[in-house]
Amino acid sequence: MQQPQFRIWWLAVPALGYLLIAYAAPLVYLLMRSVIRPEGVSLQLFSAFLSDDYNLRVIGNTLRIALLVTLLCLAIGYPVALALARARGIAQVLLLTAIILPLSIGVVVKAFAWQIVLRRDGAIAKFLVATGIWDEPKRLLFTEPGLVIGAANVFLPFMILPIYSVVRQIDPRLSEAGATLGASPLHRFRKIILPLTMPGLITGIAFVFSMSLSMFVIPSLLMGDRFQTLATLTGRSFLLMRNEALGSATAVVLLVLAVSVVVGSTWVSRRLMRGG
Amino acid sequence: MSDPAFLDVRSAEKRFDAARVLNGVDLAVAQGELVSLLGPSGCGKTTLLRIIAGLTSADAGSVRLDGEDIGRKPPHRRDVGVVFQSYALFPHLTVAENLAFGLKAKGAPATEIAPIVSRFLELVHMAPFADRSVKGLSGGQQQRVAVARALAVKPKLLLLDEPFSALDRKLRETMQIELRRLLRELGTTAIFVTHDQDEALILSDRIAVMNAGRIEQLDRPETIYNRPATAFALEFVGLSTRIRGTVTSYGPEGAVSIDTRFGTLSARGRFEPGSAVIVAVRPERISIGGSSGENRIAPTITDIVFQGARAQIHFETTDGLPILVEMSGALPGGLEPGAAVPLSFATADTMVYPA
């Protein structure tokens, strides 16, 4: 029993080797740079970073935007994933294409497109004025709602696809069985569909949340320099300010946040799977 | 079985695209009755079941249950339980939670749910598995849980869609007897969908033989077997030898004379002289020796299949018509492949259908 399991691990060697050279090594270097100071090994860099109100605001910005983007993706993506799993034939192909094709368009291009859409005379402002929700056209570009809308658009497929892959494996008879046992559609959703899609839901949330935490291009183009997240601040520190100490600190804080999200969500989904 | 129409389905019709799946089906089931819908795949039996449960909407017709029109109600308000072919147990719940699902959905308090769940687990002998996940259960155990889950909410009517098709033969027979006893004990009104005639004969008070979207005959199992109403019912339930012929004249006492390749046969029925018909006889109604019946044939034995309590003897006439005879008890001497043996059957044991 042990033998084949041990051997199958070798399949992971190329990926592990690649990650070691391209990812782990630079990361370790970065981590060491952030704790090995001229005066010796110390966490002084982080305590200084975290005691600055501006930096705390940046962390707050990062978490808030990532949370809002994730929630928006969830609200839009979950129903789409359900519809996609129930769709048949050409409708399913079209839906899948519509979800996957935009991934082939670069993020920079998409961000510029959203700049146009979010302008004061952009499509969204016109629509909201025409439907009477807004009294007069307003600019969404360079505002947080604009950033959340634009980022959600880019990350939406990463919410839909993991949920879809779980939903399509759910036997439609389960919901019918629930109905014949007297459960209303809402009860069926809460007690059958939702628990069974939870693993996909958590994967999607982990994807979108960690990607929104670390996004750089989208906030740069949709918010500009006055609004900083950990990722944009890291970029600025290295590229503009030439402040490697600050850059290392922001990068490490960002890393810790992202890792806790991934580990936390994996833990939650494993618990749910075992509970089921 | 007081109310003759506890469940009353009238002129149910359904088409999927161009295909007519149900062609105006009427079905009345009394309270406490066990009825089978028996037919080949594609005959519309599962569609009829789904229409009664509210899982598929009928194009026309009405469904009444216990005096109430349920045709427009959604499935969760119908009080009609279903045991699915795949069982459709909730994989994220334990055995006991599966049973409790319907009771919780209907808002029963927890103090009431627990005793009901234990009682039904006892009834299907699954009490030791209460806290197990349903994923590790065998096919037979899953079937018991599915039945108990459907019965726990006390539905007015229980529908079972090929409930035994996933089980191996030995287990199937035990489970059929067990289920029949359980449903009788609880006084449940139930409809089975099956393509297996033995299952229908074991389980039902009455059998509805379905073909091409219609019910061809709805009767007690003995009547279906002994007096099939149509040639399809004859072919689908039990074995028979069938001989084509043409009616030549009316005979005495409701009989007709039929001209066949084996000479004139006398058979029971009323057909105009000149009509093309099929004469059929059940294998156990043909006797070897050729003295007891009005009709005589002398074919050759091709094969003898010994089946324990019974033996099937396959004959063939000189022009290639197969004839099947079934005997119980000891076989008379001289029966072996190649032997020509005279057979006979009585007019009273024949069945005639238009060809």
Side-chain angles (χ1 to χ4, degrees):
Chain A
M1 288 306 276
Q2 288 290 328
Q3 208 73 20
Q5 262 194 353
F6 173 73
R7 265 192 251 121
I8 210 135
W9 275 99
W10 287 98
L11 293 175
V13 165
L16 285 175
Y18 174 78
L19 283 177
L20 193 69
I21 296 165
Y23 192 65
L27 212 59
V28 170
Y29 176 73
L30 185 77
L31 271 170
M32 283 169 58
R33 287 288 299 268
S34 70
V35 291
I36 298 171
R37 310 297 307 152
E39 66 273 14
V41 177
S42 102
L43 293 172
Q44 185 267 330
L45 192 61
F46 295 102
S47 54
F49 179 79
L50 293 174
S51 59
D52 186 332
D53 276 354
Y54 176 78
N55 292 335
L56 291 180
R57 258 203 323 279
V58 169
I59 295 177
N61 286 346
T62 312
L63 288 172
R64 185 175 63 253
I65 294 294
L67 187 70
L68 290 173
V69 170
T70 309
L71 287 177
L72 185 58
C73 281
L74 192 59
I76 301 172
Y78 194 77
V80 173
L82 293 183
L84 186 61
R86 291 282 173 272
R88 289 286 168 269
I90 193 80
Q92 193 179 42
V93 173
L94 286 176
L95 260 174
L96 259 178
T97 312
I99 291 159
I100 293 172
L101 202 61
L103 288 174
S104 65
I105 298 167
V107 173
V108 178
V109 178
K110 269 190 223 170
F112 274 121
W114 276 103
Q115 282 197 342
I116 299 167
V117 175
L118 296 171
R119 283 195 311 225
R120 191 185 303 276
D121 58 350
I124 294 185
K126 279 183 181 157
F127 174 76
L128 289 174
V129 170
T131 51
I133 297 171
W134 278 0
D135 296 329
E136 55 181 38
K138 282 181 241 174
R139 176 174 51 80
L140 273 166
L141 188 59
F142 308 130
T143 68
E144 281 194 30
L147 172 60
V148 170
I149 293 171
N153 164 258
V154 176
F155 299 136
L156 192 56
F158 299 96
M159 182 65 82
I160 296 175
L161 294 174
I163 301 176
Y164 161 66
S165 70
V166 176
V167 175
R168 57 184 284 200
Q169 288 174 38
I170 300 177
D171 180 0
R173 296 275 176 276
L174 293 181
S175 190
E176 292 188 347
T180 60
L181 290 167
S184 66
L186 183 66
H187 192 92
R188 263 131 64 193
F189 175 77
R190 281 181 44 229
K191 299 293 179 182
I192 303 171
I193 304 297
L194 194 57
L196 289 174
T197 47
M198 202 49 92
L201 213 65
I202 288 167
T203 307
I205 289 172
F207 274 174
V208 173
F209 193 80
S210 53
M211 289 169 94
S212 321
L213 271 185
S214 56
M215 64 184 173
F216 175 77
V217 173
I218 305 166
S220 304
L221 289 179
L222 295 187
M223 287 300 271
D225 287 344
R226 278 177 303 148
F227 181 89
Q228 292 296 327
T229 64
L230 283 170
T232 57
L233 191 56
T234 308
R236 277 171 69 84
S237 324
F238 281 112
L239 300 173
L240 294 172
M241 307 179 338
R242 301 279 169 201
N243 184 344
E244 288 189 18
L246 178 62
S248 309
T250 52
V252 169
V253 171
L254 184 58
L255 182 70
V256 168
L257 287 177
V259 166
S260 17
V261 168
V262 172
V263 171
S265 59
T266 312
W267 182 76
V268 169
S269 79
R270 284 192 157 211
R271 266 188 55 122
L272 285 172
M273 297 291 274
R274 222 177 309 138
Chain B
M1 304 191 190
S2 46
D3 185 358
F6 182 65
L7 170 74
D8 193 7
V9 180
R10 295 261 173 95
S11 2
E13 277 178 38
K14 181 73 186 175
R15 51 169 80 225
F16 290 120
D17 299 325
R20 293 187 73 114
V21 183
L22 285 183
N23 269 325
V25 168
D26 295 327
L27 176 68
V29 176
Q31 192 160 17
E33 200 179 17
L34 308 181
V35 171
S36 287
L37 304 179
L38 175 66
S41 59
C43 72
K45 55 192 193 298
T46 296
T47 304
L48 179 56
L49 195 85
R50 291 179 62 85
I51 285 173
I52 296 171
L55 300 172
T56 297
S57 61
D59 296 337
S62 68
V63 182
R64 297 180 70 82
L65 179 64
D66 199 9
E68 189 189 359
D69 184 355
I70 59 166
R72 302 259 177 286
K73 283 190 167 186
H76 63 279
R77 299 226 184 87
R78 285 196 179 197
D79 260 338
V80 175
V82 178
V83 174
F84 291 87
Q85 189 169 10
S86 60
Y87 309 135
L89 299 179
F90 304 127
H92 57 300
L93 302 179
T94 64
V95 169
E97 285 167 344
N98 263 275
L99 262 70
F101 184 93
L103 298 161
K104 277 189 193 160
K106 291 185 171 178
T111 47
E112 275 176 32
I113 293 176
I116 298 176
V117 167
S118 339
R119 172 165 172 249
F120 279 90
L121 281 176
E122 291 288 343
L123 279 175
V124 298
H125 313 298
M126 287 296 288
F129 298 88
D131 297 322
R132 293 261 199 104
S133 159
V134 295
K135 280 182 250 175
L137 300 181
S138 71
Q141 292 168 335
Q142 290 189 29
Q143 203 249 20
R144 286 160 200 256
V145 176
V147 169
R149 182 180 69 175
L151 287 172
V153 292
K154 298 198 171 62
K156 286 180 179 168
L157 172 68
L158 182 65
L159 308 176
L160 303 99
D161 187 5
E162 306 267 6
F164 302 101
S165 61
L167 306 180
D168 62 70
R169 207 184 130 181
K170 189 94 179 158
L171 183 60
R172 204 183 308 171
E173 281 169 16
T174 330
M175 299 284 286
Q176 283 164 355
I177 306 278
E178 208 175 281
L179 181 62
R180 187 184 140 109
R181 182 187 53 77
L182 178 64
L183 296 178
R184 283 265 186 265
E185 247 173 56
L186 298 170
T188 311
T189 313
I191 300 179
F192 300 89
V193 153
T194 180
H195 63 270
D196 179 347
Q197 50 162 312
D198 293 329
E199 189 170 308
L201 293 170
I202 291 175
L203 287 168
S204 355
D205 298 317
R206 285 190 302 156
I207 298 175
V209 180
M210 288 191 70
N211 181 34
R214 287 181 192 287
I215 292 180
E216 299 229 337
Q217 187 173 12
L218 175 60
D219 252 317
R220 300 167 54 77
E222 310 90 276
T223 316
I224 299 260
Y225 185 81
N226 292 323
R227 293 274 161 257
T230 64
F232 178 84
L234 164 83
E235 276 183 57
F236 204 77
V237 180
L239 299 164
S240 59
T241 295
R242 294 183 289 279
I243 306 165
R244 289 178 170 277
T246 309
V247 176
T248 50
S249 62
Y250 293 112
E253 293 160 33
V256 282
S257 291
I258 298 162
D259 186 30
T260 72
R261 288 179 293 180
F262 316 104
T264 302
L265 298 178
S266 160
R268 211 170 40 121
R270 272 285 164 236
F271 285 89
E272 289 287 318
S275 21
V277 292
I278 294 172
V279 184
V281 200
R282 294 289 187 198
E284 70 279 6
R285 299 290 179 180
I286 302 178
S287 53
I288 292 178
S291 56
S292 60
E294 294 85 345
N295 299 300
R296 299 207 170 108
I297 300 177
T300 311
I301 297 179
T302 55
D303 202 4
I304 299 177
V305 182
F306 182 67
Q307 291 179 321
R310 295 175 302 181
Q312 282 187 346
I313 307 162
H314 296 262
F315 290 83
E316 206 172 279
T317 60
T318 43
D319 52 358
L321 177 86
I323 294 175
L324 182 66
V325 178
E326 205 166 73
M327 288 190 70
S328 50
L331 293 180
L335 291 186
E336 54 190 39
V341 179
L343 303 177
S344 75
F345 51 92
T347 306
D349 290 330
T350 58
M351 301 169 278
V352 185
Y353 302 94

